[in-house]
Amino acid sequence: MRVLLIEDDELVRSALSETLDGHGFEVDGLANAEDALILLGAGQVPDVLVTDVNLGPGLDGFDLAELARARHPKVEVILISGTTPDLAGRAAGRHERFLQKPFAPEQLAAKIREAGAERLG
């Protein structure tokens, strides 16, 4: 299963990428939404997009999720954040999940499997 991981914290991104790779996922880890959009625009379509909500300057995870689904409607999205975002004001659809930091990498792997099964189902 192909996973696109967007996390601005290099240590977190590296640790999650390594763990997910160990769980058998094909992982592309990037630091920001703009680089992710370049990859998505080049036809690199993940099964699951995992993005931090707060990505520093530029687009945030919500923006990225919306743009990714506009290009690839079936992509599953997992939003991760150390803060609790206002999900009430957002139209969280069938293809969107949330995981609160801190979490065990195994929890993320389980969410990815769940999202992937949803995509195939």
Side-chain angles (χ1 to χ4, degrees):
M1 188 177 319
R2 187 179 181 100
V3 176
L4 180 54
L5 171 67
I6 313 304
E7 168 60 63
D8 60 328
D9 185 313
E10 186 177 345
L11 291 175
V12 173
R13 184 175 64 250
S14 178
L16 288 175
S17 292
E18 189 175 305
T19 300
L20 294 174
D21 185 60
H23 280 269
F25 298 110
E26 182 182 331
V27 182
D28 289 313
L30 299 171
N32 59 61
E34 290 77 12
D35 287 346
L37 289 173
I38 291 169
L39 201 65
L40 290 167
Q44 300 289 326
V45 184
D47 296 300
V48 180
L49 169 66
V50 177
T51 182
D52 193 357
V53 170
N54 302 306
L55 295 170
L59 299 172
D60 67 15
F62 290 128
D63 297 330
L64 176 57
E66 189 175 316
L67 292 167
R69 279 197 306 273
R71 292 181 184 183
H72 308 288
K74 292 189 178 189
V75 70
E76 294 288 334
V77 175
I78 299 172
L79 297 161
I80 58 177
S81 182
T83 61
T84 305
D86 178 18
L87 298 176
R90 297 205 16 89
R94 183 177 79 83
H95 297 289
E96 197 169 287
R97 293 165 175 73
F98 177 74
L99 189 58
Q100 179 78 42
K101 291 180 184 176
F103 53 80
E106 291 73 24
Q107 287 177 283
L108 179 56
K111 279 263 193 221
I112 291 170
R113 280 191 202 90
E114 176 185 301
E118 185 79 24
R119 183 170 195 244
L120 297 174

